[in-house]
Amino acid sequence: MSDVRDVIIIGSGPAGLTAAVYTARANLSPLVLEGEPSSTSDQPGGQLMLTTDVENFPGFPEGIMGPELMMNFRTQAARFGAEIQTVKASKVDLSAKPYSVWVGDPDAAEPTHQAHAIIIATGAQSLMLGLDRENDLVGHGLSTCATCDGFFFRDHEIAVVGGGDSALEEAHFLSRFASKVTIIHRRDELRASKIMQDRARNNPKIEFLWDSTVVEYLGEHRLAGVKVQNLKTDEIAELPVTGLFIAIGHQPNTDIFKGQVAMKENGYLVTEPGSTHTDVDGVFAVGDVQDDLYRQAVTAAGSGCQGALDAERWLEAQHD
């Protein structure tokens, strides 16, 4: 096991790598455990690694590819001295100081690393349908973020999968750009709040496809339509949409922190209002792992900055 570090950052997306830039510039020599490429969650670079054009991140008026943006983040963090390891934390022990982090075998007797402060930036993942070629089509007609990608679908016919507030909010937003938005829902009634239902039903661009589920994506290299199955009749029909937005929820990557850090009912980490402090002294949470509202790259980056400053000030206070 290596020496006890000032700070370990678990996770890498915009939040984790911004925290790395700030803690590195504060001479805290952060260690970033960025995740593993083969992992379905907590992958290096976060969700932007699955995004093509990013046009709403400030400073890039012509837009930038998601992976390129995250590589810029990573290079900047490394330039200031952050140590970045392409490994995934498998276990943490936050019950005693210094805090312990395992990589690899979680049953190993000794932790892999220890630190005085931990910044959790493991993010969240969008729940998907699990169909063939799904990952290949993300950014090529398939999306999980209307705010991020709606602009690309001006005058297109598109669809949204889901029946909750998030799905209806996405559909309403997308109706600003699309010529038609079809909401595909497994049941014949919505889970969304009445105000959101009324807004959707009164929108002339929004239609509903009830008791249905998407069973296949059409198109070679870009989405050209979907096959939809009626769950009552088993009938399968093609829906000729060029965009599909999946809005069936998000899942925070917080499994290894269960029972150790306070969480909301939906699994997101709880932070003190106006800060990134969790209920564990010296443990901070930044980005989508604690944000179940905005979920944007720019808000995650800002949160990473806050977490780094909070950690720096906390560490200074320990030496007073």
Side-chain angles (χ1 to χ4, degrees):
M1 187 180 67
S2 59
D3 295 334
V4 177
R5 296 175 178 265
D6 281 323
V7 59
I8 291 176
I9 300 168
I10 305 176
S12 53
L17 291 176
T18 300
V21 169
Y22 274 78
T23 52
R25 284 175 54 84
N27 293 323
L28 295 177
S29 302
L31 170 64
V32 182
L33 306 179
E34 68 172 349
E36 296 176 338
S38 60
S39 175
T40 56
S41 64
D42 193 19
Q43 63 180 350
Q47 295 186 76
L48 282 185
M49 296 301 288
L50 300 176
T51 304
T52 51
D53 295 307
V54 178
E55 294 198 332
N56 58 0
F57 197 89
F60 299 93
E62 302 301 322
I64 186 171
M65 299 292 282
E68 182 184 358
L69 177 62
M70 293 321 304
M71 186 55 66
N72 289 347
F73 271 71
R74 193 181 192 275
T75 300
Q76 188 173 4
R79 174 192 166 203
F80 293 118
E83 180 184 349
I84 303 174
Q85 296 183 6
T86 310
V87 295
K88 183 176 181 180
S90 56
K91 175 184 172 182
V92 297
D93 183 358
L94 306 179
S95 64
K97 298 178 182 178
Y99 299 123
S100 298
V101 182
W102 279 256
V103 170
D105 183 6
D107 296 321
E110 295 292 329
T112 315
H113 304 286
Q114 288 190 310
H116 299 295
I118 300 286
I119 298 178
I120 302 171
T122 48
Q125 55 184 315
S126 300
L127 298 178
M128 304 295 282
L129 301 181
L131 301 178
D132 289 344
R133 301 187 303 116
E134 198 158 58
N135 287 341
D136 295 336
L137 288 171
V138 170
H140 301 280
L142 187 63
S143 176
T144 59
C145 179
T147 308
C148 310
D149 298 330
F151 178 82
F152 299 115
F153 294 89
R154 189 175 296 277
D155 298 325
H156 287 228
E157 290 192 10
I158 60 179
V160 174
V161 178
D165 277 355
S166 294
L168 268 60
E169 185 175 352
E170 298 243 309
H172 185 73
F173 177 83
L174 290 166
S175 70
R176 302 179 189 178
F177 308 99
S179 59
K180 176 182 175 182
V181 180
T182 300
I183 297 176
I184 304 171
H185 188 43
R186 296 179 60 87
R187 289 180 281 277
D188 58 2
E189 59 182 22
L190 299 166
R191 305 187 312 274
S193 58
K194 187 176 186 304
I195 188 170
M196 292 301 298
Q197 292 192 42
D198 290 343
R199 183 180 298 174
R201 294 178 194 277
N202 293 329
N203 189 321
K205 286 189 176 182
I206 295 178
E207 296 183 1
F208 295 88
L209 191 57
W210 303 108
D211 302 310
S212 299
T213 185
V214 175
V215 294
E216 185 180 342
Y217 300 127
L218 303 176
E220 286 288 328
H221 305 293
R222 184 171 184 82
L223 189 75
V226 294
K227 286 188 177 181
V228 180
Q229 181 177 22
N230 184 294
L231 297 176
K232 290 187 174 179
T233 66
D234 290 332
E235 181 182 352
I236 294 179
E238 290 189 8
L239 189 65
V241 293
T242 51
L244 183 73
F245 288 76
I246 300 175
I248 56 176
H250 292 78
Q251 178 178 324
N253 301 318
T254 53
D255 285 350
I256 65 172
F257 307 108
K258 287 181 178 177
Q260 301 194 64
V261 183
M263 298 182 183
K264 300 179 183 179
E265 288 186 2
N266 60 6
Y268 286 79
L269 299 186
V270 175
T271 51
E272 295 177 6
S275 84
T276 62
H277 291 260
T278 69
D279 66 330
V280 181
D281 194 35
V283 177
F284 308 86
V286 299
D288 286 10
V289 77
Q290 54 83 45
D291 174 18
D292 58 358
L293 177 61
Y294 297 105
R295 294 193 292 261
Q296 299 295 305
V298 68
T299 53
S303 175
C305 167
Q306 291 175 303
L309 296 176
D310 285 344
E312 179 187 353
R313 291 165 182 163
W314 181 85
L315 286 165
E316 286 178 354
Q318 306 311 300
H319 300 302
D320 291 345

